[in-house]
Each structure stands twice: as structure tokens, then as C-alpha cells.
Amino acid sequence: MDRDDYLRSRLDEYIWLKSVDAGVSRKRFLQILATMIGATAVGGLAKPAPAQSGSLNFTNTFKTKESNILKPLPPGYISHSKGTLEMNWGSMYGRGYIVPNDWFYVHNRNTPPPFDPSTWRLRVEGTGVSTPSSFTYDDIISMPSISVTCAIECAANGRRFFEEVYNQPLSVAGARWRLGAIGVAEWTGVPLGLLLERVGLKSTAVDVLVQGADIDSLQKQKSKFSTVVPIAKALLDNSLVVYAMNGEPLPPDHGQPCRVIFPGWGGNANVKWIERIEVSETPIYTQWVTKQMVLVGSDYPPTAPYKGELITYQNVKSAFELAWPAIISAGYYLLRGRSWSGKGKIVRVEVSLDGGKTWQLARLREPNFPFAWVRWDIDWNPVPGEYSLQARATDNLGNTQPTTVPWNNFGLLYGGIVSHPVKVQA
Ligand SMILES: Nc1nc2c(c(=O)[nH]1)N[C@H]1C(S)=C(S)[C@@H](COP(=O)(O)O)O[C@H]1N2
Ligand SMILES: [Mo]
């Protein structure tokens, strides 16, 4: 038995065990396996497709042929549009630090492009490198790698609260997320700085553009989805070209075969299905960055060429591990939640059970990684009634959650205190 066959047999066994756990018959298991091997074989090694292995018990209530999302819709998850899947905070109650791949929120502008490991290439080029090169999938996974546990959060997470608080509609078409456009995972990949060294990064490089394989259909001038980061961000130790998520090959919906992560930055910076990296000696201004990744409103004076204040790092937010609205029974309840900051780590969380009149400190639980989140809890013994729960977190730089947030036209970066409606029944 050669090495690939050996690994393949181990993998089959692993998936079989998972299937047994999920109550799947041998016949159904073999059917699933057949589809997987045909669809996702990587150099003779079948990929353990997470959507199949961990979510066999999920019933998909929304997905249609129109959906841009391949994985099934987990229970209680919300689809705002064909490319969005919002995490159900209620399902995270009492769970571990990491969001399983099947449960991770999705923001796809397009259907994940097909991946063929024999033809896939990542081109690294531009005036900022001396030896432009193409890397194969095997090249990438053979390079030194590290694993980083951090969040990815859509810059529009919390968008709905602008409309609710200001009682005024936003003029953009984007998803009306509550707080579920965030997840924390362990990302494994090659430090981007190492890849850039291999292609002879010049000391004069200033900007890095990362491009996906999908067309950004929302742009007037149709182009591939991309983002731009300054070279300083690209060279940080935790900026990665990622190929594994929570120990499994990157699932199609999350960027198969490779995506980038730029911890702390708005979700869109973490480009999926990457195919080209351009390093430039001159600043790169794309439409996406100058016109869309900006806060536009009277509180945000524009600085040319940006149409508003450019978004980079995410802000501080908190969420309760509760459905929205939540209905619970009277009696002792361990109230749980999570808080996070794109700029560092959370050092304090206060909770109000009476709509902001009185506050108490929550207990923070380990681990508490920067650019990820911290889990916290408090004891609660409510009598029947209607409650408005609030949480306010503060990070190590002193950033905290304000009561009011200035309006911006696209509804980005809502970091204010949110009132979570809870009904306690007798
Ligand atoms: N190529 C490509 N990359 C992309 C996107 C996309 O539509 N196409 N969406 C971005 C946005 S807006 C977000 S919030 C994150 C979502 O990552 P996830 O779906 O893995 O949670 O991916 C980013 N990367
Ligand atoms: Mo997003």
C-alpha cells in the first residue's frame, strides 16, 4: 500500500465513524463517499468534506438551486440572500471556543469556483517583487506553516441595528445581519511574508492586492473580487495564505483551496479562492476599497481618493449565546456570551439585565486570544417577564462599546451596545 492509499483508507474510516455518529446507514455513507471522491480528490487523497462529515443531521430548509452556498443550512441559521448565512447565536450556547466549519457564517458573492489541484495556480507578481512566480497547491502545502486562531467578521456585522436604532432604511442592498456574521476558527497556512520572500520582495513595495477567482458582480465595472492591504499588514506574522480550517482542508464555501487571513481586519479583506497576489511599489486604489470599504456619513469626512473614512480594523462587539428573540424558563440560568475586538483582546465585559440601568462584571473564561473572542458568563435567576439584556466589552487598548453610533450610509461597523430581547416564561 503506498502512502496515499494508506492515508485514504484512514480518511475513509474516519468519515465512516463520523457517519455512524450521525446515524447514517452504510449504504448512504458509501453514496456520500462516492460523491466526495469524485468531486474533491486531491492528489489521490480524498478530502474530508466537512459539510458532509459533520452535518448529516441538518435539514436544509432554505437552499435552492439559486444559492451561492454549498453547505447545508444549519438549524436556526438565517439566509438574508443567496450568498449569506448568518450564525445562530442560540446554537453556540455553552459550546467550545471554535465555531465548527459547518456552523461558520458565510458571505459569498458567488458560488465557490471549482477547484482542480492539477491546474490551480497562485500567481505572485507585480513591481514590488523581483522574481514573479506561480505556486501549485502542492508547493503551498509543502511550505512551512503556522496555525492562528482568530475571528473573521463581516464589516457589516450588526448592520440591522443602524436601521432599528435610527428607524431609517439604509440605501444599500447588503445583508441585514444581526450579530452572527462572525466566527472563530483555527486557520493553518503559510505566512504571507514567507511567500513574498520567495519571490524576491523589494524593500520599495508599498501595497499588496489579493485577488479571488470570482467576479465581484456588485461592482459597476465588473472585476474579480479583491482587496488591498499595506505591505506592513501583509508582513505581520499572522497574515497567512490559508489552506486548512479547524484541521480540515478549507471547505469550498470558505475559500477552497486557499484564502488569506488578515486578523482583525474587516471580513472582506480575507479574500477566498485566491488566484493572484500583486505586490506594488505604488499605492493600489481599487473601486472596492475607495468606494465601498469606507464609512460615508456626516461624521466621517472623506480623504481623497477615499469616499469616506477607510475601514481597516474591526471594532468591539458582544453577543449573548441566545436565539433572537430568546424564550427561556424562569429559574436559575447561566447566561453566556462572547465579546471580541479587531484591535486586540477583551479585558472587561459588563452585563445589564435591566436595559442599561445597572451593570455587573461578567466572568471571563479562557482562552482569550487577541483578534478572536472571549467567552463570558453570569448567573441569572429571572422571574417571568420581558427583559432587555445588554453587554458592553472593553479591549486592552481601552476601546469600548458606546451607547450610540454615528450613522454611515452602508451600515458598516456597528459597535454600539445592543439590546437583546428575552422572554422568561413561568
Ligand atoms: N473571493 C471572495 N472572497 C471573499 C468574499 C467573496 O465574496 N469572494 N466575501 C468576503 C466577505 S464580505 C466576508 S465577510 C468573508 C466571509 O468569509 P466566510 O464566508 O469564510 O465566513 O469573506 C470575504 N472574502
Ligand atoms: Mo462580508
Side-chain angles (χ1 to χ4, degrees), residues 188-204:
T188 299
V190 181
L192 180 54
L194 192 89
L195 199 73
L196 298 185
E197 252 173 53
R198 298 266 170 113
V199 295
L201 177 67
K202 297 183 191 168
S203 60
T204 45

Side-chain angles (χ1 to χ4, degrees), residues 69 71 83 85 104-110 113 152-157 177 181-183 187 210-216 224-226 245 250-251 253-255 259-260 266-274 288 293:
I69 298 178
K71 68 184 182 184
L85 184 58
F104 209 91
Y105 88 99
V106 180
H107 196 175
N108 284 348
R109 275 168 192 69
N110 297 281
I152 289 185
E153 181 186 21
C154 185
N157 198 21
W177 309 104
I182 181 168
W187 310 97
V210 184
Q211 182 184 299
D214 56 324
I215 300 288
D216 187 355
K224 300 261 174 104
F225 185 88
S226 69
M245 178 178 183
L250 207 52
D253 284 316
H254 297 289
R259 80 181 304 167
V260 280
N268 57 86
N270 306 282
V271 181
K272 305 191 265 196
W273 317 301
I274 59 173
W288 170 257
M293 285 322 298

Side-chain angles (χ1 to χ4, degrees), residues 274-286:
I274 59 173
E275 60 174 26
R276 191 173 79 90
I277 296 176
E278 182 186 335
V279 185
S280 172
E281 286 181 293
T282 51
I284 305 175
Y285 298 114
T286 61

Side-chain angles (χ1 to χ4, degrees), residues 322 326-334 380-385 387 422-426:
L322 288 171
I327 300 171
I328 63 168
S329 308
Y332 173 76
Y333 191 79
L334 186 64
W380 192 28
N381 208 345
V383 294
Y387 294 83
V422 179
K423 186 174 183 184
V424 178
Q425 291 177 329

